């Protein structure tokens, strides 16, 4: 494959398959947030920790809905930017979950070791995913620059 062919593939917008996948992500986030919101609205007198948990879950769902909508509406190549944004959203979801769990723990005055293990494991997973996404984007952009330079004849092979 010539550098021009590779650049043409890199410069292509999202495929139909990726667009459908991001549309599913958006709808799942929106549906989850709506269902939690409906449950919250129809259950009067919920304890504060349940309200905090519902708020955190709705925030996470709306974040994924926004991400899916953003990715579907892009008409330009993303060059793995979608992976980086999704990784940041995962880290934000971890932060929202951790904040909600911390508030609930403070209200209950009891720290569960299982909760601590889950929070740490999810935090590590979010950090590893973010690092991998950023490395993939950096490598892809570096490759694109090298191929563009080689295609112009300005850089020798």
């Amino acid at each position: 494959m010539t550098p021009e062919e590779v650049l043409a593939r890199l410069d292509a917008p999202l495929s139909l398959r990726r667009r459908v996948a991001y549309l599913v992500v958006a709808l799942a986030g929106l549906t989850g947030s709506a269902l939690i919101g409906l449950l919250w609205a129809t259950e009067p007198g919920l304890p504060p920790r349940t309200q905090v948990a519902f708020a955190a879950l709705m925030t996470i769902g709306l974040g994924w809905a926004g991400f899916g909508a953003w990715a579907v509406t892009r008409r330009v190549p993303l060059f793995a930017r979608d992976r980086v944004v999704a990784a940041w959203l995962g880290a934000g979801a971890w932060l929202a979950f951790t904040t909600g769990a911390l508030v609930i723990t403070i209200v209950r005055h009891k720290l569960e070791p299982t909760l601590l293990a889950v929070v740490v494991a999810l935090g590590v997973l979010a950090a590893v995913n973010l690092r991998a996404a950023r490395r993939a984007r950096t490598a892809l952009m570096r490759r694109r620059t090298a191929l563009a330079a080689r295609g112009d004849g300005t850089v020798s092979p």
Side-chain angles (χ1 to χ4, degrees):
M1 194 177 269
T2 68
E4 291 80 18
E5 291 171 336
V6 174
L7 281 172
R9 289 189 68 196
L10 288 176
D11 286 336
L14 286 177
S15 67
L16 177 62
R17 183 172 157 230
R18 292 283 277 196
R19 286 188 184 280
V20 169
Y22 285 133
L23 184 61
V24 169
V25 166
L27 291 175
L30 191 60
T31 301
S33 290
L35 290 174
I36 292 168
L38 284 172
L39 180 60
W40 194 357
T42 58
E43 292 293 328
L46 289 172
R49 65 179 179 261
T50 305
Q51 293 183 19
V52 169
F54 280 4
L57 290 171
M58 284 183 65
T59 301
I60 292 168
L62 290 173
W64 283 110
F67 166 72
W70 171 81
V72 167
T73 59
R74 297 300 104 194
R75 298 285 181 220
V76 295
L78 295 176
F79 298 110
R81 183 181 301 141
D82 52 335
R83 290 177 59 185
V84 174
V85 171
W88 274 112
L89 187 56
W94 170 78
L95 184 61
F97 171 77
T98 301
T99 302
L102 182 62
V103 168
I104 291 169
T105 301
I106 289 171
V107 169
R108 292 180 66 200
H109 304 292
K110 184 177 180 184
L111 179 62
E112 296 287 335
T114 306
L115 176 65
L116 185 60
V118 168
V119 165
V120 169
L122 290 176
V124 168
L125 183 64
V128 167
N129 191 28
L130 179 59
R131 184 168 189 247
R134 290 180 68 166
R135 285 180 135 196
R137 177 162 168 76
T138 300
L140 185 58
M141 295 305 290
R142 194 175 298 134
R143 175 84 171 143
R144 180 179 182 255
T145 302
L147 285 171
R150 187 177 302 159
D152 293 338
T154 57
V155 176
S156 61

